[in-house]
């Protein structure tokens, strides 16, 4: 303890008598206003969260219900029903066949039989066949077309203009089967159905399943396995940095470092470009990786003079030796180039037939391979080349992106705001009193080609 | 007069009239803290508003282990330090007077042979560079230990001691000139 203890005593004694600015009603009003604004913000936040929750739930429910039905293609559905019928056929006897004939006669009188999925069968085509139950999803109904009468006599009653799908194999099978017993209940239900006006589904506005592209392409629609997307990404962004002090070396920071040097370092424009690869699973989850050249930058605009030299002793500045002012004037942009390999996981939510929202989070490995520019030293404020600073070559960053994608037959084009933050310090901690963690926020533009089997 | 316990309880229940009473009871004391950690009245007033706003938001975390004004003072100090860290440009800093740093042994040994008014002490304190003023404030007036100061400022205990020592020298020199 030095003998300036009296300074502490003086401060303690004087502190209660310090004259302060008067605190008045206006101060309370300012605080009250802040508290009210907070309340409003909380209400707005809850409203927003509720909105997100409700809309996500609706999207999720819609997706789940279409996913449940979708894996069964029309042909598979027909084949399944036909197989069931064939299995049952052996158990039928002549009496049952008579019942069926009677039933068919009734159907003839009614003119048509309504099938599940709104597919009607013309009277002429139905004659040799018992009512055929086809279970199809709404999406599949959409891709059913008007099938030429000469092929099967089956007419899809949808007004869709999609291309034909092949179901003649199933019809052939159906021609050869011995029909199973139709109970009175089945028959009544069939009649009741046939009396209803045909319902025409217009599914063009319904969202497609997650991994599907253009609804016009039945090949894509039937794809239920994963697929790759490969393409280019470009992300213009703004780079900035978080600065903290290394507690072990904080004593070496020049007293004027923040005022003169750090305050002259600002955010700057930067970018990232490279090849982007994504693997999409049928359930909407996708994994992305790639190889990018990423740039992080800082704009510096130093204009000060150094009029003292720090006296360092045991990782502390113990004093400053005055010197003739040395001007420091430099404007420029320091850049740090990284090879970036991201690994993100994402989820996509279709919002229409053509558009979907993709969200992804993950980590990137960043290898620093180049650094350019000049920067002020935290200890003596002198201007140094950034190559003189010890920086970590291997870095890790966290990423998050949410954006809108146009989902074409073979291509996707996306635009998404992105945020990336270095998780480790760019400076080597052992040699720097200032710890820098760069971050960037930007707008990613991607275009990918779909590789679908 | 409403008791302190009841006042705190009502503040925890977001009772606005209780919040106003708490403000009126401690505003001057907290303004004193703000003035010691800020360079000017305007910044101090901003800090006062932000500090009380934070007090009312965080009062649930006050467990009654200490006096409410002690807890509030600590909260105001933390806020002031955060503001200094994140908004350095906003705060005015005096040009560093290097001649005070090249101290002589006479500076160290001279005892207090001067008489100063409390406001002269405040003026001199406010003229110190922030890194010294803060440590001196925390140690001498707010009774914080070097360990606590080091943790708050994210510096070593050695740095804290060294800054305190420098702060005393600088303040002594300033007061002697008055």
């Amino acid at each position: 303890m030095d003998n300036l203890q009296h300074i502490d005593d003086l401060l303690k004694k004087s502190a209660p008598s310090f004259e302060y600015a008067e605190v008045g009603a206006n101060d309370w009003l300012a605080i009250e206003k802040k508290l009210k604004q907070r309340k409003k913000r909380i209400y707005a936040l809850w409203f927003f969260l509720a909105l997100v929750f409700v809309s996500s739930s609706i999207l999720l429910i819609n997706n789940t219900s279409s996913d449940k039905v979708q894996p069964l293609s029309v042909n598979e559905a027909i084949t399944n029903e036909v197989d069931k019928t064939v299995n049952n056929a052996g158990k039928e006897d002549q009496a049952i066949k008579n019942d069926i004939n009677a039933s068919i006669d009734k159907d003839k009188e009614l003119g048509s039989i309504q099938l599940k999925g709104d597919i009607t069968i013309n009277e002429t085509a139905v004659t040799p066949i018992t009512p055929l139950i086809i279970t199809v999803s709404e999406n599949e109904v959409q891709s059913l077309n008007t099938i030429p009468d000469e092929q099967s006599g089956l007419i899809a009653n949808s007004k869709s203009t999609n291309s034909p799908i092949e179901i003649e194999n199933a019809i052939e099978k159906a021609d050869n089967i011995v029909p199973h017993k139709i109970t009175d209940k089945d028959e009544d239900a069939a009649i009741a159905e046939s009396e209803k006006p045909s319902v025409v589904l217009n599914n063009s506005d319904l969202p497609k399943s997650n991994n599907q592209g253009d609804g016009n392409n039945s090949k894509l629609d039937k794809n239920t396995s994963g697929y790759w997307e490969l393409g280019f990404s470009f992300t213009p962004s703004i780079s900035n940095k978080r600065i903290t002090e290394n507690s072990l070396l904080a004593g070496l920071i020049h007293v004027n470092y923040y005022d003169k040097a750090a305050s002259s370092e600002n955010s700057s424009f930067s970018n990232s470009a490279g090849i982007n690869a994504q693997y999409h699973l049928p359930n909407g989850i996708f994994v992305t990786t790639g190889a990018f050249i990423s740039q992080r930058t800082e704009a510096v605009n130093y204009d000060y003079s150094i009029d003292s030299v720090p006296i360092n002793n045991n990782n502390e500045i113990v004093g400053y030796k005055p010197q003739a002012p040395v001007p420091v004037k430099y404007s420029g942009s320091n850049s740090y180039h990284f090879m970036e390999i991201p690994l993100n996981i994402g989820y996509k939510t279709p919002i229409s037939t053509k558009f979907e929202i993709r969200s992804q989070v993950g980590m990137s490995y960043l290898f620093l391979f180049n650094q350019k520019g000049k920067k002020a030293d935290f200890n003596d404020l002198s201007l140094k080349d950034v190559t003189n600073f010890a920086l970590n070559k291997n870095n890790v960053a966290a990423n998050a992106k949410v954006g809108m994608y146009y989902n074409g037959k073979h291509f996707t084009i996306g635009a998404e705001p992105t945020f990336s933050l270095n998780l480790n310090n760019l400076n080597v901690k052992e040699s720097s009193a200032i710890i820098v963690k760069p971050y960037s926020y930007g707008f990613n533009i991607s275009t990918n080609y779909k590789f679908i089997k | 007069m409403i008791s302190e316990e009841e006042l705190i309880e009502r503040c925890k229940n977001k009772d606005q009239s209780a919040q106003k009473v708490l403000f009126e009871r401690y505003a001057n004391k907290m303004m004193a803290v703000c003035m010691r950690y800020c360079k000017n009245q305007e910044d101090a007033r901003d800090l006062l508003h932000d500090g009380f706003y934070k007090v009312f938001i965080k009062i649930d975390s006050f467990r009654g282990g200490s006096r409410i004004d002690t807890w509030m003072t600590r909260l105001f100090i933390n806020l002031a330090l955060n503001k200094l860290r994140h908004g350095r440009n906003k705060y005015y800093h005096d040009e560093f007077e290097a001649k005070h740093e090249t101290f002589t042994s006479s500076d160290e040994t001279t005892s207090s042979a001067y008489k100063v008014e409390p406001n002269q002490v405040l003026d001199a304190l406010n003229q110190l560079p922030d890194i010294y003023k803060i440590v001196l404030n925390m140690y001498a007036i707010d009774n914080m230990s070097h360990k606590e100061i080091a943790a708050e400022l994210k510096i070593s205990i050695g740095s804290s001691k060294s800054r305190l020592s420098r702060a005393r020298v600088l303040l002594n020199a300033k007061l002697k000139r008055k």
Side-chain angles (χ1 to χ4, degrees):
Chain A
M1 177 70 70
D2 52 54
N3 61 356
L4 289 175
Q5 175 68 45
H6 68 277
I7 290 287
D8 294 9
D9 300 335
L10 181 68
L11 278 169
K12 271 197 183 90
K13 240 188 279 173
S14 308
S17 314
F18 287 166
E19 277 177 20
Y20 301 116
E22 262 185 35
V23 180
N26 285 343
D27 294 304
W28 169 247
L29 288 177
I31 295 161
E32 202 178 22
K33 195 178 165 191
K34 274 177 177 246
L35 289 167
K36 279 180 183 164
Q37 278 172 348
R38 182 174 184 263
K39 259 186 192 172
K40 280 183 192 166
R41 276 203 304 272
I42 290 172
Y43 291 145
L45 181 69
W46 277 111
F47 177 75
F48 175 75
L49 287 175
L51 200 68
V52 168
F53 177 75
V54 169
S55 46
S56 310
S57 303
I58 291 168
L59 285 169
L60 197 67
I61 289 163
N62 283 346
N63 278 348
T64 314
S65 59
S66 65
D67 285 349
K68 271 179 190 168
V69 182
Q70 189 213 340
L72 200 61
S73 71
V74 173
N75 280 345
E76 286 166 343
I78 292 171
T79 311
N80 287 349
E81 288 302 325
V82 166
D83 288 346
K84 274 185 206 166
T85 313
V86 170
N87 289 338
N88 290 334
K91 299 169 189 170
E92 312 304 331
D93 56 17
Q94 192 54 44
I96 295 168
K97 284 179 184 173
N98 292 339
D99 286 347
I100 293 164
N101 286 335
S103 152
I104 289 168
D105 288 341
K106 236 179 208 176
D107 292 336
K108 276 184 181 177
E109 284 166 22
L110 290 167
S112 68
I113 298 169
Q114 179 73 37
L115 297 180
K116 281 187 186 174
D118 297 320
I119 299 168
T120 56
I121 298 175
N122 271 2
E123 179 190 338
T124 50
V126 166
T127 311
I129 314 171
T130 55
L132 186 59
I133 297 166
I134 302 173
T135 308
V136 289
S137 70
E138 288 176 343
N139 283 344
E140 284 156 343
V141 168
Q142 186 198 12
S143 61
L144 282 175
N145 278 333
T146 305
I147 297 168
D149 287 353
E150 62 272 21
Q151 270 190 2
S152 63
L154 277 172
I155 292 173
N157 207 9
S158 163
K159 285 184 179 171
S160 162
T161 54
N162 295 338
S163 63
I165 58 167
E166 294 171 7
I167 59 169
E168 57 267 64
N169 291 341
I171 301 299
E172 275 170 24
K173 276 186 188 177
D175 281 343
N176 298 328
I177 61 168
V178 179
H180 72 282
K181 181 180 179 178
I182 293 180
T183 63
D184 288 343
K185 201 176 166 188
D186 290 338
E187 205 176 293
D188 291 341
I191 293 164
E193 281 292 308
S194 68
E195 284 169 352
K196 283 184 190 171
S198 291
V199 177
V200 177
L201 284 179
N202 185 3
N203 287 351
S204 59
D205 294 329
L206 288 175
K208 293 284 177 289
S209 70
N210 294 322
N211 62 337
Q212 288 165 2
D214 194 327
N216 293 336
N217 191 329
S218 60
K219 191 176 177 184
L220 296 188
D221 287 346
K222 281 191 279 186
N223 178 56
T224 54
S225 59
Y227 67 94
W228 281 96
E229 281 183 15
L230 192 66
F232 296 100
S233 273
F234 175 67
T235 310
S237 59
I238 303 287
S239 285
N240 211 328
K241 62 190 175 184
R242 286 178 64 219
I243 290 182
T244 49
E245 288 179 5
N246 176 0
S247 58
L248 297 172
L249 300 175
L252 287 173
I253 299 171
H254 194 286
V255 67
N256 290 331
Y257 171 73
Y258 291 107
D259 292 337
K260 289 183 171 176
S263 63
S264 306
E265 297 167 359
N266 297 306
S267 58
S268 177
F269 177 80
S270 58
N271 61 67
S272 168
I275 294 167
N276 165 44
Q278 302 186 346
Y279 184 74
H280 290 252
L281 295 164
N283 56 6
I285 292 171
F286 61 97
V287 180
T288 82
T289 183
F292 299 87
I293 302 292
S294 296
Q295 182 198 36
R296 301 240 159 110
T297 55
E298 59 183 344
V300 295
N301 188 18
Y302 301 125
D303 188 4
Y304 56 85
S305 58
I306 307 170
D307 49 16
S308 62
V309 179
I311 303 161
N312 298 333
N313 182 22
N314 198 20
N315 287 342
E316 288 282 338
I317 295 176
V318 292
Y320 292 85
K321 189 179 166 191
Q323 67 168 22
V326 178
V328 175
K329 198 170 172 67
Y330 173 77
S331 286
S333 181
N334 298 336
S335 60
Y336 306 86
H337 288 93
F338 300 88
M339 168 65 81
E340 180 175 3
I341 299 173
L343 184 62
N344 292 355
I345 185 160
Y347 184 75
K348 55 188 179 180
T349 310
I351 53 170
S352 76
T353 51
K354 300 277 188 191
F355 290 94
E356 61 194 23
I357 290 173
R358 294 186 183 182
S359 316
Q360 48 181 300
V361 289
M363 313 272 266
S364 280
Y365 166 73
L366 295 122
F367 175 74
L368 177 70
F369 65 91
N370 187 24
Q371 63 217 66
K372 277 194 296 194
K374 290 184 188 299
K375 200 168 164 65
D377 185 90
F378 60 83
N379 182 246
D380 59 13
L381 302 185
S382 63
L383 201 59
K384 288 181 178 167
D385 198 287
V386 289
T387 51
N388 292 333
F389 289 88
L391 302 178
N392 281 314
K393 292 280 178 200
N394 301 300
N395 300 277
V396 178
N399 307 310
K401 300 178 187 179
V402 181
M404 178 85 80
Y405 270 72
Y406 170 79
N407 195 358
K409 265 187 202 174
H410 299 294
F411 284 96
T412 60
I413 300 169
E416 50 193 352
T418 69
F419 180 74
S420 174
L421 166 71
N422 265 46
L423 297 178
N424 65 316
N425 310 319
L426 186 57
N427 302 75
V428 174
K429 207 174 174 184
E430 288 71 25
S431 65
S432 179
I434 300 293
I435 292 170
V436 174
K437 288 185 180 176
Y439 65 87
S440 66
Y441 47 93
F443 200 74
N444 172 249
I445 299 160
S446 285
T447 176
N448 295 333
Y449 181 79
K450 289 178 172 179
F451 290 89
I452 298 179
K453 290 169 195 169
Chain B
M1 190 173 156
I2 186 170
S3 76
E4 196 147 289
E5 287 75 24
E6 194 190 341
L7 186 65
I8 292 162
E9 208 50 47
R10 281 174 57 187
C11 284
K12 284 183 179 180
N13 293 328
K14 313 288 178 216
D15 179 337
Q16 216 166 29
S17 60
Q19 288 175 338
K20 193 176 179 187
V21 173
L22 188 77
F23 170 78
E24 282 165 354
R25 205 173 277 185
Y26 293 106
N28 284 327
K29 191 167 186 180
M30 291 307 123
M31 188 64 179
V33 176
C34 297
M35 283 295 286
R36 283 192 285 110
Y37 283 88
C38 294
K39 282 284 182 196
N40 55 47
Q41 261 193 41
E42 195 190 333
D43 286 348
R45 207 172 282 281
D46 279 351
L47 181 61
L48 181 81
H49 298 166
D50 292 347
F52 268 102
Y53 170 74
K54 206 157 187 183
V55 163
F56 295 134
I57 290 169
K58 298 221 162 194
I59 199 158
D60 281 337
S61 64
F62 177 66
R63 298 278 168 244
S66 61
R67 285 166 53 101
I68 183 74
D69 54 340
T70 310
W71 177 79
M72 281 168 67
T73 303
R74 193 56 73 88
L75 192 142
F76 271 76
I77 292 171
N78 281 337
L79 194 62
L81 296 178
N82 275 340
K83 279 182 176 249
L84 281 168
R85 267 186 215 117
H86 296 117
R88 285 174 197 276
N89 296 338
K90 187 183 162 193
Y91 288 81
Y92 170 75
H93 292 255
D94 281 343
E95 275 299 305
F96 184 74
E97 291 179 57
K99 62 184 176 185
H100 291 151
E101 287 297 326
T102 51
F103 58 90
T104 61
S105 57
S106 63
D107 285 328
E108 287 277 18
T109 51
T110 306
S111 65
S112 59
Y114 45 78
K115 193 176 177 186
V116 286
E117 293 298 316
N119 275 328
Q120 287 178 310
V121 177
L122 179 63
D123 283 346
L125 184 69
N126 275 338
Q127 283 171 31
L128 296 184
D130 278 339
I131 59 164
Y132 299 128
K133 186 179 87 169
I134 289 166
V135 174
L136 191 56
N137 255 320
M138 293 169 103
Y139 186 87
I141 305 178
D142 296 314
N143 298 317
M144 291 170 75
S145 67
H146 281 298
K147 196 178 170 187
E148 287 171 314
I149 295 168
E152 286 288 349
L153 299 179
K154 297 187 175 68
I155 58 174
S156 64
I157 291 175
S159 290
S160 172
K161 286 179 180 171
S162 151
R163 287 184 192 185
L164 176 68
S165 177
R166 310 294 318 134
R168 283 172 178 154
V169 171
L170 286 172
L171 189 66
N172 189 40
K174 282 189 186 295
L175 290 173
K176 269 166 66 181
R177 283 192 292 164
K178 290 199 182 276

